[in-house]
Amino acid sequence: MERKTPGRIANETLERITASLLDLVLPMRCAGCRTTWLLSGAGHWCGMCLENLPLVGHPLCPICGRPFLKSPSSSDHHCGECLAGGFPFHTARSAVLHSGVVRERIHELKFGGRVQWVPALCDLLAMAFEKEGTGAVDLVLPVPLHVRRVRQRGFNQSGLLSKCLATRLGLSVRFDVIARKNWTEPQTRLDREQRLKNVRGAFRVEKPSVVRGLRVLLIDDVYTTGTTLGECARVLRRAGATAVHALTVSRAIPGWRGDDDGALNPDG
C-alpha cells in the first residue's frame, strides 16, 4: 500500500474542504433537467434524468454494438454488417441512443461551444465503459478533426471527451497520434456508401510507434454508421495496434423514433 506523506494528506484534506465549500456556494445543476441541484462527486445527472435516458442495452451486436430494439427478448447476436466483416474495429459501444436531451447537449457542445457539457457526457462514456467493458486498454485516442474544422469550431469535442475519460480511468491519452489529413464534407446527409467514400484515406497515423502493440480505446461523440470509426480503426491496426475498441456517447439508429419529433439528425 502506498504511504501518504504529511504534505499529500494536507493537500487532499484541503481539496475535500474546498469541494464542500463549493457545494454550498456553487452547487451544480443536473445536465438534464437543469433544475435539480447536485453535489460534487455525485455525477452530473440527477437520478430521475439518468433513469429516463434511453440507455443502450442488450440484446446487441457483440462487435458493432447495434442494439436490436425490435427484438428485446432475443440474445446478443451479430448484425448483418458484422457477419459480412464490415468493421475493422474489434468492438464498438455507445452509452445512449441519439435522442432527447443527450442529443441536445451534444449539439450544444459541438455547435454552440458549450464545453460545460463535457463532464456530463463523460459520465455517460464512463458508465458505458464500466458496464460493457472492452477488456484492458492501454491508450485513449480521440477521433481527430481536420485542422480547418478545429479552427472553425475552436476545439475538437472528441478530444475534450477523451481527455476527461482518460483522467477518470487513469489511462494515457494522446492527441498527436492520428490525424485527419483530408478535408471531408459533413456526413450528415450522406448514406453509408457515400460516407465510406468520403472518409476513405482521410486519416493518417502520424506516430505508428506509439500504438504498435497497444490496445486502443477510440472516442467519438456519435456513432452513426461506423464509417469514421471504422476508417480510424483500419489505419490504427495497419500501424500495429493489436486491438481497437470504439466508444461513443450516443448511437443513432435509422428509423428509431425516440422523442416527439422522431428526428435523429446525427452528425458526421
Side-chain angles (χ1 to χ4, degrees):
M1 172 182 275
E2 180 185 2
R3 185 176 180 180
K4 295 183 180 180
T5 64
R8 181 173 176 182
I9 293 173
N11 287 336
E12 290 180 352
T13 302
L14 180 60
E15 288 174 1
R16 287 196 295 270
I17 293 172
T18 301
S20 297
L21 290 174
L22 286 174
D23 284 340
L24 292 173
V25 180
L26 295 170
M28 298 185 301
R29 291 180 185 267
C30 168
C33 62
R34 303 294 294 137
T35 57
T36 304
W37 296 98
L38 305 171
L39 298 179
S40 63
H44 298 80
W45 304 87
C46 71
M48 182 170 293
C49 285
L50 200 58
E51 184 178 341
N52 289 327
L53 292 179
L55 301 178
V56 173
H58 296 265
L60 50 73
C61 173
I63 297 179
C64 75
R66 178 189 177 100
F68 299 108
L69 303 177
K70 295 182 179 180
S71 53
S73 60
S74 67
S75 59
D76 287 357
H77 56 280
H78 290 82
C79 69
E81 286 182 287
C82 289
L83 284 172
F87 297 108
F89 46 69
H90 289 76
T91 65
R93 294 292 184 270
S94 303
V96 302
L97 297 175
H98 193 63
S99 178
V101 68
V102 174
R103 184 184 67 189
E104 292 173 12
R105 298 297 176 254
I106 290 174
H107 280 205
E108 289 168 356
L109 167 62
K110 291 174 70 168
F111 307 119
R114 303 288 294 277
V115 296
Q116 68 264 38
W117 298 135
V118 169
L121 298 175
C122 186
D123 281 353
L124 303 181
L125 284 173
M127 283 173 48
F129 182 83
E130 292 167 6
K131 173 185 170 186
E132 293 296 331
T134 59
V137 294
D138 306 300
L139 181 66
V140 178
L141 297 178
V143 169
L145 290 180
H146 190 273
V147 64
R148 183 170 146 199
R149 185 85 68 197
V150 175
R151 287 171 181 161
Q152 289 176 348
R153 192 169 293 171
F155 58 88
N156 176 5
Q157 72 281 352
S158 299
L160 298 178
L161 291 168
S162 296
K163 176 62 175 176
C164 182
L165 183 66
T167 299
R168 294 194 190 187
L169 298 179
L171 294 171
S172 297
V173 60
R174 294 285 295 261
F175 305 98
D176 58 348
V177 173
I178 183 171
R180 190 184 291 249
K181 62 179 182 178
N182 297 337
W183 170 263
T184 55
E185 294 303 319
Q187 304 219 97
T188 307
R189 294 178 176 83
L190 303 181
D191 61 26
R192 177 169 169 74
E193 290 303 316
Q194 291 170 324
R195 285 170 182 257
L196 281 169
K197 182 178 180 180
N198 199 35
V199 299
R200 178 64 68 175
F203 300 96
R204 177 179 61 235
V205 177
E206 302 282 355
K207 298 184 177 181
S209 61
V210 174
V211 299
R212 192 171 298 127
L214 297 187
R215 298 156 295 188
V216 173
L217 183 62
L218 190 62
I219 302 297
D220 207 358
D221 53 347
V222 184
Y223 183 117
T224 306
T225 62
T227 52
T228 298
L229 290 164
E231 182 65 11
C232 288
R234 187 178 68 83
V235 297
L236 286 167
R237 292 182 66 177
R238 184 193 296 167
T242 58
V244 179
H245 301 283
L247 183 65
T248 67
V249 176
S250 67
R251 172 78 182 233
I253 302 296
W256 180 72
R257 300 179 67 86
D259 45 20
D260 292 340
D261 63 9
L264 289 172
N265 296 324
D267 305 298

